[in-house]
Amino acid sequence: LKQILERYGDEPPAEEARFALADLYEEAGRAEDAEAELKDFARKHPQHARVAAAHLRLARFYARRAKADAALRERFNLGQEE
């Protein structure tokens, strides 16, 4: 997946690779890496069909870490940074 990201940058094949990489990181217990990929995905591909799912997953990460303000921002996609 990282090779796809390097080769395609922000083009469509990289969109799905970035989201899939976040899945793999999460499954491997690497929540911070998954969070970083999801943030990058949402920032680079704001019109993608999965951007709402990315924001929801970010909200869940924040909620687990008791970051209520950040969780609410992501859940309601208010476009504010942490």
Side-chain angles (χ1 to χ4, degrees):
L1 293 174
K2 287 197 176 230
Q3 290 175 339
I4 293 171
L5 293 175
E6 290 172 9
R7 182 173 181 183
Y8 293 100
D10 294 334
E11 295 177 32
E15 295 172 354
E16 292 299 325
R18 189 165 279 112
F19 200 86
L21 187 57
D23 288 340
L24 291 175
Y25 283 146
E26 190 171 3
E27 290 172 14
R30 295 173 57 182
E32 289 181 9
D33 292 326
E35 180 181 326
E37 287 300 330
L38 289 169
K39 283 181 180 178
D40 202 36
F41 175 84
R43 183 177 51 80
K44 290 183 176 184
H45 313 291
Q47 302 303 317
H48 194 280
R50 290 185 172 188
V51 78
H55 285 292
L56 183 58
R57 286 174 63 188
L58 284 167
R60 289 180 184 149
F61 283 131
Y62 296 142
R64 284 186 210 135
R65 292 195 329 244
K67 288 188 168 185
D69 291 342
L72 288 172
R73 280 196 303 271
E74 286 299 334
R75 174 62 180 94
F76 296 105
N77 192 19
L78 300 177
Q80 300 172 2
E81 294 293 320
E82 278 187 76

